[in-house]
Structure formats: C-alpha cells, structure tokens
Amino acid sequence: MNGNWLRVSPDELEQARADLGWAYELAMTQRDDNSERWAATDKAWNGLDFLLDRLGFEIPLVLGAERLVELPDVEPDSEEMFDFLENLEDDWGYGPPSYLTPAHVATAASELVTLTEGSLIRGVDPQELNRADIYPGPWEGPGELAWVAHYLPGVQSFFAAAARDGAAVICWLD
C-alpha cells in the first residue's frame, strides 16, 4: 500500500471532479513518466500521517481534505462500506482519491518548511505507532522511524512547488 500525490492546476482539479477517469489516466501517466507533478511516500504514508498529526499538523496531507467521490454515511469497516467500495468504479487502489485545495497546499507548505527529519521523530516511542496499528509496522526495528522521516525533504519540495504554482493536490493510496 503506497501513498501518492499528483499536483494539478485548479482547472485540472475541476476537470477531475467532473471526470475521475480522466484524472486517473493523468495520474498514471505522470507516475509512469516519473513526473515532477507526482510524488509518493511508498509504504511510509501511514507513519508520516501519524507523525504529522502527532505534531499538530492540521492539514490531512496524506489522505486529503476533500473527497472526489462521496462515500456513504456508514461505519468505515462495515459491510455496507465494503459493498460500496467493492462496486466503486473510481477505486484507485484502496478507495477513491481525495484532494487538497490550493489553500490547503499553501498552508501545508508553510507548515512543512519548519520541520526537520529530527523534529518529525523527536521523542517518538515506536510503541506509539504499534499501539495505533500504523501501517506497515512493526515499528521497533532500528531505523524504522528514520525511514519515514527520510521522506520529509521530498514532501517539503513537492508541496513547496505545488504552493508556488497555486496547485491543488490529488491524494490516493494504491
């Protein structure tokens, strides 16, 4: 399971909202071309999300703030949700994508710039991640937290460039 981001212009975001099939093709093309518009956190996505949340980071950077597909109002692990997702045409791997608006991106970029790899993991007990069942786990091995933190400079660069461009970001797991 990997975390992915795609930088899109506001016009492209509107097109994605109207046609997720188009957006999926764009995302896969950018990923296959290893474009600067695409970035990934590989399997570190859940650890990064946990660590940012632990620091009070308000923007849901990894999973997005807005949905591109309206989900039913049922429990996330319920049979109804399972049935809905199983029949969803716009599943990009592990459910439909979400997005961050240009305003979210700008806020995230300004908050990310203050972080360092050390500050992201300082004082973190790996057992916190194990207790929270953070993917991929387990977390007590040497270098596990540093492995997540090493993604931070790339994340900072990606969001700084997106903010400079006034871009939105589509977020998905596959």
Side-chain angles (χ1 to χ4, degrees):
M1 187 181 291
N2 301 293
N4 296 273
W5 292 303
L6 178 68
R7 273 187 355 226
V8 294
S9 71
D11 288 343
E12 288 172 322
L13 178 60
E14 286 310 307
Q15 188 167 354
R17 291 169 52 118
D19 184 354
L20 264 179
W22 171 85
Y24 181 79
E25 290 303 317
L26 176 65
M28 295 307 106
T29 299
Q30 297 299 311
R31 181 173 72 178
D32 291 347
D33 292 345
N34 202 23
S35 166
E36 291 179 357
R37 293 178 60 186
W38 170 79
T41 58
D42 299 317
K43 294 180 181 198
W45 66 272
N46 201 201
L48 179 64
D49 185 56
F50 178 87
L51 294 171
L52 290 171
D53 186 59
R54 186 178 179 277
L55 292 173
F57 204 83
E58 293 185 25
I59 303 297
L61 195 69
V62 174
L63 299 176
E66 307 289 336
R67 292 193 172 114
L68 283 163
V69 171
E70 194 59 40
L71 298 178
D73 188 22
V74 297
E75 291 295 318
D77 293 332
S78 69
E79 188 68 31
E80 295 93 349
M81 182 62 81
F82 177 77
D83 289 343
F84 174 81
L85 292 174
E86 190 169 80
N87 296 308
L88 183 66
E89 291 181 20
D90 296 313
D91 182 345
W92 286 24
Y94 288 92
S98 296
Y99 67 94
L100 299 168
T101 65
H104 291 131
V105 170
T107 299
S110 69
E111 290 180 16
L112 282 167
V113 77
T114 66
L115 297 178
T116 65
E117 291 177 49
S119 68
L120 185 63
I121 61 175
R122 185 173 297 117
V124 176
D125 177 357
Q127 291 306 317
E128 291 177 65
L129 285 85
N130 288 331
R131 284 190 296 274
D133 199 25
I134 301 301
Y135 179 83
W139 291 96
E140 57 275 339
E144 294 295 326
L145 291 174
W147 166 70
V148 173
H150 101 273
Y151 283 95
L152 183 62
V155 171
Q156 290 168 317
S157 295
F158 179 82
F159 277 90
R164 271 192 311 276
D165 292 347
V169 171
I170 295 175
C171 315
W172 76 98
L173 301 175
D174 67 3

